[in-house]
Amino acid sequence: MDFQSISIEELMNGYQLTDVQYQCLHCDQAFAIHEVYPFQNKFLTAEGMIQVHLQQEHGSAFHALLQMDKKTSGLSEVQQEMLKLFYEGLSDKEIAVDSSVNNISTVRQHRFKLREKERQAKVFLALMQLLSEPNHYKIHRGATQVDERYSIEEKEREKVLQTYFKQGLDGGIETIPSKEKRKLIILQHILQRFTAGKAYTEKEVNTILKTVHADFVTLRRYLIEYGFMSRSADGSSYWIKE
């Protein structure tokens, strides 16, 4: 598995989309994106089939990741055991009975240590991304969380913009992307339609966003949530964060 080319989102999904197929990250199984596949008296898309494959062959993306060796995951056997039982929703008392850790306080300590490991991993990932690709990060001042979503190659940015702005970069988009990185790219591009240092009324913001997509309310909310834009307490004034 080439981790340099795989995003966190793809690891969570358990598969990767290439130009022609959905590829399982844990085996050689792949499904062509332009084909449909029969499954249990119905037909599924390639993405639907890769999801079925993950469930049938690997249990889930979570279980597949958990089965990686210690050198890859950085997890001890006990940590792998704890994560599996946490995932299954067992209480600390149940885990103490069913696992190699037979003490409730030790189970709780593992929960704390794993959450601490998560926080440390986020910081380390952000540092390594900034170290290796400093010019590929476009981070606005109000960014609510700096992580791998901001590691965007210029070629990737151009591809996403061309895909969504089919009528040109000054036009609109048919759909608002659900994937975080694509959403950030779209929001960063939308900012160019606003003037730095200028205060806008909500009506003026809506008018500009309507040129992008009919659901201007969602776009406005995203601009606020992701820290691209601020507004006054009474909602009468909006401005972009330089």
Side-chain angles (χ1 to χ4, degrees):
M1 188 184 299
D2 180 12
F3 283 94
Q4 293 299 320
S5 64
I6 300 173
S7 68
I8 298 296
E9 184 178 7
E10 289 168 335
L11 283 173
M12 292 174 64
N13 289 336
Y15 57 87
Q16 188 175 42
L17 174 62
T18 68
D19 291 336
V20 297
Q21 64 185 9
Y22 283 96
Q23 172 71 54
C24 178
L25 297 179
H26 305 284
C27 67
D28 295 329
Q29 184 64 61
F31 297 93
I33 60 175
H34 297 303
E35 296 184 20
V36 293
Y37 298 85
F39 178 76
Q40 295 183 351
N41 299 319
K42 57 185 178 181
F43 290 93
L44 297 180
T45 63
E47 187 171 19
M49 278 305 301
I50 197 70
Q51 291 170 351
V52 168
H53 163 77
L54 274 162
Q55 183 178 19
Q56 292 184 336
E57 299 299 326
H58 304 291
S60 70
F62 180 90
H63 291 92
L65 288 171
L66 209 57
Q67 292 168 11
M68 291 181 171
D69 58 70
K70 180 180 178 180
K71 183 178 179 181
T72 303
S73 69
L75 298 170
S76 67
E77 291 183 5
V78 175
Q79 287 175 324
Q80 289 177 321
E81 180 185 22
M82 290 296 101
L83 281 169
K84 179 177 180 295
L85 296 173
F86 294 157
Y87 184 79
E88 292 173 358
L90 273 65
S91 67
D92 292 347
K93 183 177 180 180
E94 290 172 324
I95 292 173
V97 172
D98 297 340
S99 72
S100 61
V101 178
N102 55 13
N103 185 289
I104 294 179
S105 63
T106 305
V107 174
R108 290 172 179 166
Q109 186 177 20
H110 276 290
R111 283 189 186 273
F112 173 80
K113 288 293 185 181
L114 287 167
R115 292 194 184 102
E116 185 178 49
K117 189 179 181 73
E118 178 190 18
R119 292 193 295 270
Q120 293 169 345
K122 287 180 179 179
V123 174
F124 181 72
L125 179 60
L127 287 170
M128 291 305 295
Q129 292 285 358
L130 286 167
L131 178 65
S132 61
E133 302 180 77
N135 295 323
H136 296 153
Y137 267 66
K138 287 192 176 182
I139 303 174
H140 51 287
R141 182 175 298 177
T144 54
Q145 179 180 334
V146 178
D147 54 30
E148 72 283 347
R149 296 173 302 170
Y150 285 91
S151 178
I152 304 171
E153 295 277 358
E154 193 58 36
K155 288 184 179 179
E156 180 182 8
R157 188 185 308 279
E158 292 175 358
K159 183 178 180 181
V160 169
L161 292 177
Q162 290 173 1
T163 298
Y164 282 88
F165 289 90
K166 301 181 186 300
Q167 307 302 319
L169 297 182
D170 294 330
I173 58 177
E174 296 176 359
T175 58
I176 300 174
S178 58
K179 292 188 176 181
E180 292 287 289
K181 184 176 285 191
R182 296 178 185 178
K183 191 185 299 178
L184 280 168
I185 292 173
I186 297 299
L187 293 174
Q188 287 170 342
H189 181 71
I190 289 174
L191 284 185
Q192 298 178 22
R193 305 192 184 189
F194 294 88
T195 301
K198 178 179 178 180
Y200 294 85
T201 64
E202 184 173 294
K203 183 177 180 181
E204 289 173 330
V205 172
N206 293 344
T207 299
I208 293 173
L209 295 180
K210 284 178 183 178
T211 66
V212 181
H213 192 273
D215 190 359
F216 59 89
V217 175
T218 295
L219 287 177
R220 190 182 69 224
R221 175 166 56 85
Y222 284 155
L223 287 171
I224 297 295
E225 288 180 354
Y226 286 86
F228 288 101
M229 180 174 279
S230 292
R231 64 182 171 188
S232 58
D234 60 3
S236 63
S237 181
Y238 291 73
W239 61 92
I240 65 171
K241 294 184 177 180
E242 300 180 46

